[in-house]
Amino acid sequence: MGAEPPVKEPSPKIVIVDESPIRAAILEEGLLEAGFTAVVHIREMQSLLSRIYAIDPDVILIDLENPSRDILEQMFQVSRAVRRPIAMFVDQSDAASIQASVDAGVSAYIVDGLKKERIKPILDLCISRFNAFAKLQDELERAKSALEDRKVIDRAKGILMKLKGLTEDEAYVLLRSTAMREKKKIGEIAQSILTASELLK
Amino acid sequence: MSTALHIGFIPLIDAAALLVAVDKGFTKTEGLDVTLAPEVSWSNVRDKLNIGHFDAAHLMAPIAIASSLGSGHVKVPVVASFNLGLNGNAITVSPALHAAILHEAEGDPFDPMVTALALARVVASRRRSGAAPLTFGMTFPFSTHNYQLRFWMAAAGVDPEEDVRLVVLPPPYMVDSLANGQVDAFCVGDPWNSVAVDLGVGHILNFVSDILPRAVEKVLAVRQSWAERNPQVLAALVRAAVHAADFIEQPENRAEVADILAHPQRMGVPADVIQRALAGRLKIAPDGTMHEDKNYLLVGRDGAARPDPAQAAWLYAQMVRWGQTSFSPAALEAAMAVFRPGLYDAALGRRPGGTGLAASGLADNALADSALADNALGELGPVDAFAGPRFDPRDLQGYLTSLAIPPRQHA
């Protein structure tokens, strides 16, 4: 169940420029839940400006890993290629907001005229969703590397069991005590056993 | 005790003095512990410098000026006390546009006036036949590439806003965009011109060093407030960069420099492409034709590293000319004050009456005085160009109104 839109005026048109479909989906879902119903995701960077002009958004959100950010800067320029100049939602008075959005890895551009109090909730939501995505990705990475470590340790245990006639528990204890003595991770010791056994084959 | 610094850069050859200063340990010798952060857009570099994520940055010279004037974005005064490079850009065109320009060229095609006039004829004939206007890619609204393209074509009467389209493209997308016909040409620094030629999708038409023999390109930029608080650290950083620039400019070091820059964490392109740009000897056509200009890219040679406020004035004049800002004597002065030859001299102990920063008494609020002193020195270098009236920073409006295409009104 989506909440009521925060204001009675029609929902501002929001474009999300992000090559990551998962992150964009997380953000879009958050915006929809908060009552911002007009959200378009642009994934394809070709002809970015003409797509944006066709959509004619009030707000553009772009991730900072995207080189196309520089293309958006062109929208501030008065020229024939640019229909209506866009101002960026950063002014000197809002240092905390800028800091938080750069930290989260996102930047917002708003079309001249949209009131500041209307952009603030959008940006805040965007920052928190970007941070949530980063945390998720971080956890995923850690889970992945833990799984990798587990595989390496299992193989190293196998080698020790075979070469030294140890039980599985004894092999693990040997790995762990070596790691403690050398102030290294068990995964690192296991990896060096694998490397050594490759070399000695 | 070493000072930790975060410095942002875009992976381009003209970041060489910064990258070599760190990777060869010159910054360490100066007591600096530098972390280099590669970035994907000039907007990111600018914003992260502005808000203090970066202490210093490899920054396009016009962005440093725009940031100091508050043009196009928030106003954060920035100072540049070291030029990372002069020149280094080229205009690369699609094979089709290359053929069309050569067909219309009357004279030496290495002469940028010959190619600009040929472009004017190509533009006129496309208009007659109802073809779409040619599209030129450049890197940023406040970029040397934007101004250099405009300066070149306008000299032959091609109006960059009426007769062609200019669009911003991130450098890594330039080559693909040329290959798939999104743009007909682009102006960018290396490695991208060479990459386009190597892939057979582009011809290097002109080196920008043939259009403007000494054009400031990237600077080592810091916030003015940071410079005021950390004069010794800035001086140490400048010394390390000067050391690196001297190292880079020794031909016997070129292979080592190219290897340093080629590293995946730095530029991640083949070392031989980097060597070509450092040597100023570039493959300009897919058939292997070479063209050489020893001034293709200057990293510290011939006084290239010392900031020249006249160069800042020239860039400011381009902003006024193309309607990005309106002229005011105060803004001109502020633009020129971004470039600080006095800080460069002080870092090297060359300031008259002093042997280094401490002796020069250059601390805290002395920075503003030194900017004035810099401009009062009256030792502005000439800003030569392949065409147009002589550039005079003292008579900017006279210069602008005597151009073939007069300045735009700032909206």
CSV table of all heavy atoms in Angstrom, one decimal, chain B residues 298-347:
chain,number,residue,atom,x,y,z
B,298,LEU,N,53.0,19.6,-23.8
B,298,LEU,CA,54.2,20.1,-23.0
B,298,LEU,C,53.9,19.8,-21.5
B,298,LEU,O,52.8,20.2,-21.0
B,298,LEU,CB,54.3,21.6,-23.2
B,298,LEU,CG,54.7,22.1,-24.6
B,298,LEU,CD1,54.6,23.6,-24.6
B,298,LEU,CD2,56.1,21.6,-25.0
B,299,VAL,N,54.8,19.0,-20.9
B,299,VAL,CA,54.7,18.8,-19.5
B,299,VAL,C,55.9,19.4,-18.8
B,299,VAL,O,56.9,18.7,-18.5
B,299,VAL,CB,54.6,17.2,-19.2
B,299,VAL,CG1,54.4,17.0,-17.7
B,299,VAL,CG2,53.5,16.6,-20.0
B,300,GLY,N,55.8,20.7,-18.5
B,300,GLY,CA,56.9,21.3,-17.8
B,300,GLY,C,58.0,21.9,-18.6
B,300,GLY,O,58.8,22.7,-18.2
B,301,ARG,N,58.1,21.4,-19.9
B,301,ARG,CA,59.2,21.9,-20.8
B,301,ARG,C,58.9,23.4,-21.1
B,301,ARG,O,57.8,23.9,-21.1
B,301,ARG,CB,59.1,21.2,-22.1
B,301,ARG,CG,60.4,20.7,-22.6
B,301,ARG,CD,60.3,20.0,-23.9
B,301,ARG,NE,59.1,19.2,-24.0
B,301,ARG,CZ,58.4,19.1,-25.2
B,301,ARG,NH1,58.8,19.7,-26.3
B,301,ARG,NH2,57.3,18.3,-25.2
B,302,ASP,N,60.0,24.2,-21.3
B,302,ASP,CA,59.8,25.6,-21.8
B,302,ASP,C,58.9,26.4,-20.9
B,302,ASP,O,58.1,27.2,-21.3
B,302,ASP,CB,59.3,25.7,-23.2
B,302,ASP,CG,60.2,24.9,-24.2
B,302,ASP,OD1,61.4,24.7,-23.9
B,302,ASP,OD2,59.6,24.4,-25.2
B,303,GLY,N,59.0,26.2,-19.6
B,303,GLY,CA,58.2,26.9,-18.6
B,303,GLY,C,56.7,26.6,-18.6
B,303,GLY,O,55.9,27.3,-18.1
B,304,ALA,N,56.4,25.4,-19.2
B,304,ALA,CA,55.0,25.0,-19.3
B,304,ALA,C,54.3,24.9,-18.0
B,304,ALA,O,53.1,25.0,-17.9
B,304,ALA,CB,54.9,23.8,-20.2
B,305,ALA,N,55.0,24.5,-16.9
B,305,ALA,CA,54.4,24.2,-15.7
B,305,ALA,C,54.0,25.4,-14.9
B,305,ALA,O,53.2,25.4,-14.0
B,305,ALA,CB,55.3,23.3,-14.8
B,306,ARG,N,54.6,26.6,-15.2
B,306,ARG,CA,54.3,27.8,-14.5
B,306,ARG,C,53.1,28.5,-14.9
B,306,ARG,O,52.9,28.8,-16.1
B,306,ARG,CB,55.5,28.7,-14.6
B,306,ARG,CG,55.5,29.9,-13.7
B,306,ARG,CD,56.8,30.7,-13.9
B,306,ARG,NE,56.9,31.9,-13.0
B,306,ARG,CZ,56.5,33.1,-13.3
B,306,ARG,NH1,55.9,33.3,-14.4
B,306,ARG,NH2,56.6,34.0,-12.4
B,307,PRO,N,52.1,28.6,-14.1
B,307,PRO,CA,50.8,29.2,-14.5
B,307,PRO,C,51.0,30.6,-15.0
B,307,PRO,O,51.8,31.4,-14.5
B,307,PRO,CB,50.0,29.3,-13.2
B,307,PRO,CG,50.6,28.3,-12.3
B,307,PRO,CD,52.1,28.3,-12.6
B,308,ASP,N,50.2,30.9,-16.1
B,308,ASP,CA,50.3,32.3,-16.7
B,308,ASP,C,48.9,32.9,-16.7
B,308,ASP,O,48.0,32.4,-17.4
B,308,ASP,CB,50.8,32.1,-18.1
B,308,ASP,CG,50.9,33.4,-18.9
B,308,ASP,OD1,50.5,34.5,-18.3
B,308,ASP,OD2,51.3,33.4,-20.0
B,309,PRO,N,48.7,33.9,-15.9
B,309,PRO,CA,47.3,34.5,-15.8
B,309,PRO,C,46.8,34.9,-17.2
B,309,PRO,O,45.6,35.0,-17.4
B,309,PRO,CB,47.5,35.7,-14.9
B,309,PRO,CG,48.7,35.4,-14.1
B,309,PRO,CD,49.6,34.6,-15.0
B,310,ALA,N,47.6,35.2,-18.2
B,310,ALA,CA,47.1,35.6,-19.5
B,310,ALA,C,46.3,34.4,-20.1
B,310,ALA,O,45.4,34.6,-20.8
B,310,ALA,CB,48.3,35.9,-20.4
B,311,GLN,N,46.8,33.2,-19.8
B,311,GLN,CA,46.0,32.0,-20.3
B,311,GLN,C,44.6,31.9,-19.6
B,311,GLN,O,43.7,31.6,-20.3
B,311,GLN,CB,46.8,30.7,-19.9
B,311,GLN,CG,48.1,30.5,-20.7
B,311,GLN,CD,47.8,30.0,-22.1
B,311,GLN,OE1,46.7,29.5,-22.4
B,311,GLN,NE2,48.8,30.2,-23.0
B,312,ALA,N,44.6,32.3,-18.4
B,312,ALA,CA,43.3,32.3,-17.7
B,312,ALA,C,42.4,33.4,-18.3
B,312,ALA,O,41.2,33.2,-18.5
B,312,ALA,CB,43.5,32.6,-16.2
B,313,ALA,N,43.0,34.5,-18.7
B,313,ALA,CA,42.2,35.6,-19.3
B,313,ALA,C,41.7,35.1,-20.7
B,313,ALA,O,40.5,35.4,-21.0
B,313,ALA,CB,43.1,36.8,-19.5
B,314,TRP,N,42.5,34.4,-21.4
B,314,TRP,CA,42.0,33.8,-22.7
B,314,TRP,C,40.8,32.9,-22.5
B,314,TRP,O,39.8,33.0,-23.3
B,314,TRP,CB,43.2,33.1,-23.4
B,314,TRP,CG,42.8,32.8,-24.9
B,314,TRP,CD1,43.0,33.6,-26.0
B,314,TRP,CD2,42.2,31.5,-25.3
B,314,TRP,NE1,42.5,32.9,-27.1
B,314,TRP,CE2,42.0,31.7,-26.7
B,314,TRP,CE3,41.8,30.4,-24.7
B,314,TRP,CZ2,41.5,30.7,-27.5
B,314,TRP,CZ3,41.2,29.4,-25.5
B,314,TRP,CH2,41.1,29.5,-26.9
B,315,LEU,N,40.9,32.0,-21.5
B,315,LEU,CA,39.8,31.1,-21.3
B,315,LEU,C,38.5,31.9,-20.8
B,315,LEU,O,37.4,31.6,-21.3
B,315,LEU,CB,40.2,30.1,-20.2
B,315,LEU,CG,41.2,29.1,-20.7
B,315,LEU,CD1,41.7,28.2,-19.5
B,315,LEU,CD2,40.7,28.1,-21.8
B,316,TYR,N,38.7,32.9,-20.0
B,316,TYR,CA,37.6,33.7,-19.6
B,316,TYR,C,37.0,34.4,-20.8
B,316,TYR,O,35.7,34.5,-20.9
B,316,TYR,CB,38.1,34.7,-18.5
B,316,TYR,CG,37.0,35.8,-18.2
B,316,TYR,CD1,35.9,35.4,-17.4
B,316,TYR,CD2,37.1,37.1,-18.6
B,316,TYR,CE1,34.9,36.3,-17.1
B,316,TYR,CE2,36.1,38.0,-18.3
B,316,TYR,CZ,35.0,37.6,-17.6
B,316,TYR,OH,34.0,38.5,-17.3
B,317,ALA,N,37.8,34.9,-21.7
B,317,ALA,CA,37.3,35.5,-22.9
B,317,ALA,C,36.4,34.6,-23.7
B,317,ALA,O,35.4,35.0,-24.3
B,317,ALA,CB,38.5,36.0,-23.8
B,318,GLN,N,36.8,33.3,-23.8
B,318,GLN,CA,36.0,32.3,-24.5
B,318,GLN,C,34.6,32.1,-23.8
B,318,GLN,O,33.6,32.0,-24.5
B,318,GLN,CB,36.7,30.9,-24.6
B,318,GLN,CG,38.1,31.0,-25.1
B,318,GLN,CD,38.3,31.8,-26.3
B,318,GLN,OE1,37.7,31.6,-27.4
B,318,GLN,NE2,39.2,32.8,-26.2
B,319,MET,N,34.6,32.1,-22.5
B,319,MET,CA,33.3,32.0,-21.8
B,319,MET,C,32.4,33.2,-22.1
B,319,MET,O,31.2,33.0,-22.3
B,319,MET,CB,33.6,32.0,-20.3
B,319,MET,CG,34.3,30.8,-19.8
B,319,MET,SD,34.6,30.9,-18.0
B,319,MET,CE,35.8,29.5,-17.8
B,320,VAL,N,33.0,34.4,-22.2
B,320,VAL,CA,32.3,35.6,-22.5
B,320,VAL,C,31.8,35.5,-24.0
B,320,VAL,O,30.6,35.7,-24.3
B,320,VAL,CB,33.1,36.9,-22.3
B,320,VAL,CG1,32.3,38.1,-22.8
B,320,VAL,CG2,33.4,37.0,-20.8
B,321,ARG,N,32.7,35.1,-24.8
B,321,ARG,CA,32.4,35.1,-26.3
B,321,ARG,C,31.2,34.2,-26.6
B,321,ARG,O,30.4,34.5,-27.4
B,321,ARG,CB,33.7,34.5,-27.0
B,321,ARG,CG,33.5,34.6,-28.5
B,321,ARG,CD,34.7,34.0,-29.3
B,321,ARG,NE,34.5,34.2,-30.7
B,321,ARG,CZ,35.3,33.7,-31.7
B,321,ARG,NH1,36.3,33.0,-31.3
B,321,ARG,NH2,35.0,34.0,-33.0
B,322,TRP,N,31.1,33.1,-25.9
B,322,TRP,CA,30.1,32.1,-26.2
B,322,TRP,C,28.9,32.2,-25.2
B,322,TRP,O,28.1,31.3,-25.1
B,322,TRP,CB,30.7,30.7,-26.3
B,322,TRP,CG,31.8,30.6,-27.3
B,322,TRP,CD1,33.1,30.4,-27.1
B,322,TRP,CD2,31.7,30.9,-28.7
B,322,TRP,NE1,33.8,30.5,-28.2
B,322,TRP,CE2,33.0,30.8,-29.3
B,322,TRP,CE3,30.6,31.2,-29.6
B,322,TRP,CZ2,33.2,31.0,-30.6
B,322,TRP,CZ3,30.9,31.4,-30.9
B,322,TRP,CH2,32.2,31.3,-31.4
B,323,GLY,N,28.8,33.3,-24.5
B,323,GLY,CA,27.6,33.6,-23.7
B,323,GLY,C,27.5,32.8,-22.4
B,323,GLY,O,26.4,32.7,-21.9
B,324,GLN,N,28.6,32.2,-22.0
B,324,GLN,CA,28.5,31.4,-20.7
B,324,GLN,C,28.5,32.3,-19.5
B,324,GLN,O,28.1,32.0,-18.4
B,324,GLN,CB,29.6,30.4,-20.6
B,324,GLN,CG,29.5,29.2,-21.6
B,324,GLN,CD,30.7,28.3,-21.4
B,324,GLN,OE1,31.8,28.7,-21.2
B,324,GLN,NE2,30.4,27.0,-21.6
B,325,THR,N,29.0,33.5,-19.7
B,325,THR,CA,29.1,34.5,-18.6
B,325,THR,C,29.1,35.9,-19.3
B,325,THR,O,29.4,36.0,-20.5
B,325,THR,CB,30.3,34.3,-17.7
B,325,THR,OG1,30.2,35.1,-16.6
B,325,THR,CG2,31.6,34.5,-18.4
B,326,SER,N,28.8,36.9,-18.5
B,326,SER,CA,28.9,38.3,-19.1
B,326,SER,C,30.2,38.9,-18.6
B,326,SER,O,30.8,38.6,-17.6
B,326,SER,CB,27.7,39.1,-18.7
B,326,SER,OG,27.6,39.1,-17.3
B,327,PHE,N,30.7,39.9,-19.4
B,327,PHE,CA,32.0,40.5,-19.1
B,327,PHE,C,31.9,41.4,-17.9
B,327,PHE,O,31.0,42.2,-17.8
B,327,PHE,CB,32.5,41.2,-20.3
B,327,PHE,CG,33.8,42.0,-20.0
B,327,PHE,CD1,35.0,41.3,-20.0
B,327,PHE,CD2,33.8,43.3,-19.7
B,327,PHE,CE1,36.2,41.9,-19.6
B,327,PHE,CE2,35.0,44.0,-19.4
B,327,PHE,CZ,36.2,43.3,-19.3
B,328,SER,N,32.9,41.3,-17.0
B,328,SER,CA,33.1,42.4,-16.0
B,328,SER,C,34.5,42.4,-15.7
B,328,SER,O,35.2,41.4,-15.6
B,328,SER,CB,32.2,42.1,-14.8
B,328,SER,OG,32.9,41.3,-13.9
B,329,PRO,N,35.1,43.6,-15.5
B,329,PRO,CA,36.5,43.7,-15.2
B,329,PRO,C,36.8,42.9,-13.9
B,329,PRO,O,37.9,42.3,-13.8
B,329,PRO,CB,36.7,45.2,-14.9
B,329,PRO,CG,35.6,45.9,-15.7
B,329,PRO,CD,34.4,44.9,-15.6
B,330,ALA,N,35.9,42.9,-12.9
B,330,ALA,CA,36.2,42.2,-11.7
B,330,ALA,C,36.3,40.7,-11.9
B,330,ALA,O,37.1,40.0,-11.3
B,330,ALA,CB,35.1,42.5,-10.6
B,331,ALA,N,35.3,40.2,-12.8
B,331,ALA,CA,35.4,38.7,-13.1
B,331,ALA,C,36.7,38.4,-13.8
B,331,ALA,O,37.3,37.3,-13.6
B,331,ALA,CB,34.2,38.3,-13.9
B,332,LEU,N,37.1,39.3,-14.7
B,332,LEU,CA,38.3,39.0,-15.4
B,332,LEU,C,39.5,38.9,-14.4
B,332,LEU,O,40.3,38.0,-14.5
B,332,LEU,CB,38.6,40.1,-16.5
B,332,LEU,CG,40.0,40.1,-17.1
B,332,LEU,CD1,40.3,38.9,-17.9
B,332,LEU,CD2,40.2,41.4,-18.0
B,333,GLU,N,39.5,39.8,-13.5
B,333,GLU,CA,40.6,39.8,-12.5
B,333,GLU,C,40.5,38.5,-11.7
B,333,GLU,O,41.5,37.9,-11.4
B,333,GLU,CB,40.5,41.1,-11.6
B,333,GLU,CG,41.6,41.1,-10.6
B,333,GLU,CD,42.0,42.6,-10.3
B,333,GLU,OE1,41.7,43.5,-11.1
B,333,GLU,OE2,42.5,42.8,-9.2
B,334,ALA,N,39.3,38.2,-11.3
B,334,ALA,CA,39.1,36.9,-10.5
B,334,ALA,C,39.6,35.7,-11.3
B,334,ALA,O,40.2,34.8,-10.7
B,334,ALA,CB,37.7,36.8,-10.1
B,335,ALA,N,39.3,35.7,-12.6
B,335,ALA,CA,39.7,34.6,-13.4
B,335,ALA,C,41.2,34.5,-13.5
B,335,ALA,O,41.8,33.4,-13.3
B,335,ALA,CB,39.1,34.7,-14.8
B,336,MET,N,41.8,35.7,-13.7
B,336,MET,CA,43.3,35.7,-13.8
B,336,MET,C,44.0,35.3,-12.5
B,336,MET,O,45.0,34.7,-12.4
B,336,MET,CB,43.8,37.0,-14.2
B,336,MET,CG,43.4,37.3,-15.7
B,336,MET,SD,43.8,39.0,-16.2
B,336,MET,CE,45.5,38.9,-16.5
B,337,ALA,N,43.3,35.6,-11.4
B,337,ALA,CA,43.9,35.3,-10.0
B,337,ALA,C,43.8,33.8,-9.7
B,337,ALA,O,44.4,33.4,-8.7
B,337,ALA,CB,43.1,36.2,-9.0
B,338,VAL,N,43.1,33.0,-10.5
B,338,VAL,CA,43.1,31.6,-10.3
B,338,VAL,C,44.5,31.0,-10.5
B,338,VAL,O,45.0,30.1,-9.9
B,338,VAL,CB,42.1,30.9,-11.2
B,338,VAL,CG1,42.2,29.4,-11.1
B,338,VAL,CG2,40.6,31.3,-10.8
B,339,PHE,N,45.2,31.6,-11.5
B,339,PHE,CA,46.5,31.1,-11.9
B,339,PHE,C,47.5,31.9,-11.1
B,339,PHE,O,47.6,33.1,-11.1
B,339,PHE,CB,46.7,31.4,-13.4
B,339,PHE,CG,46.1,30.4,-14.3
B,339,PHE,CD1,44.8,29.9,-13.9
B,339,PHE,CD2,46.7,30.0,-15.5
B,339,PHE,CE1,44.2,28.9,-14.8
B,339,PHE,CE2,46.1,29.0,-16.3
B,339,PHE,CZ,44.8,28.5,-15.9
B,340,ARG,N,48.3,31.1,-10.3
B,340,ARG,CA,49.2,31.7,-9.3
B,340,ARG,C,50.7,31.4,-9.6
B,340,ARG,O,51.3,30.6,-9.0
B,340,ARG,CB,48.9,31.2,-7.9
B,340,ARG,CG,47.5,31.5,-7.5
B,340,ARG,CD,47.4,33.0,-7.2
B,340,ARG,NE,46.0,33.4,-6.9
B,340,ARG,CZ,45.6,33.3,-5.6
B,340,ARG,NH1,46.3,32.9,-4.6
B,340,ARG,NH2,44.3,33.7,-5.4
B,341,PRO,N,51.3,32.1,-10.6
B,341,PRO,CA,52.8,31.9,-10.8
B,341,PRO,C,53.6,32.3,-9.5
B,341,PRO,O,54.6,31.6,-9.3
B,341,PRO,CB,53.1,32.9,-11.9
B,341,PRO,CG,52.0,33.9,-12.0
B,341,PRO,CD,50.8,33.2,-11.4
B,342,GLY,N,53.1,33.2,-8.7
B,342,GLY,CA,53.8,33.5,-7.5
B,342,GLY,C,53.9,32.4,-6.5
B,342,GLY,O,55.0,32.1,-5.9
B,343,LEU,N,52.8,31.6,-6.4
B,343,LEU,CA,52.9,30.4,-5.5
B,343,LEU,C,53.8,29.3,-6.1
B,343,LEU,O,54.5,28.6,-5.4
B,343,LEU,CB,51.5,29.8,-5.3
B,343,LEU,CG,50.5,30.6,-4.5
B,343,LEU,CD1,49.2,29.8,-4.4
B,343,LEU,CD2,51.0,30.9,-3.1
B,344,TYR,N,53.8,29.2,-7.4
B,344,TYR,CA,54.8,28.3,-8.1
B,344,TYR,C,56.2,28.7,-7.8
B,344,TYR,O,57.0,27.9,-7.4
B,344,TYR,CB,54.5,28.3,-9.6
B,344,TYR,CG,55.4,27.5,-10.5
B,344,TYR,CD1,55.2,26.2,-10.8
B,344,TYR,CD2,56.6,28.1,-11.0
B,344,TYR,CE1,56.0,25.5,-11.6
B,344,TYR,CE2,57.4,27.4,-11.8
B,344,TYR,CZ,57.2,26.1,-12.1
B,344,TYR,OH,58.0,25.4,-12.9
B,345,ASP,N,56.5,30.0,-8.0
B,345,ASP,CA,57.9,30.5,-7.7
B,345,ASP,C,58.2,30.3,-6.2
B,345,ASP,O,59.4,29.8,-5.9
B,345,ASP,CB,58.0,32.0,-8.1
B,345,ASP,CG,57.8,32.2,-9.6
B,345,ASP,OD1,58.0,31.2,-10.3
B,345,ASP,OD2,57.6,33.4,-9.9
B,346,ALA,N,57.3,30.6,-5.4
B,346,ALA,CA,57.6,30.5,-3.9
B,346,ALA,C,57.9,29.0,-3.5
B,346,ALA,O,58.8,28.8,-2.8
B,346,ALA,CB,56.4,31.0,-3.1
B,347,ALA,N,57.1,28.1,-4.1
B,347,ALA,CA,57.4,26.7,-3.8
B,347,ALA,C,58.8,26.3,-4.2
B,347,ALA,O,59.4,25.4,-3.5
B,347,ALA,CB,56.4,25.8,-4.6
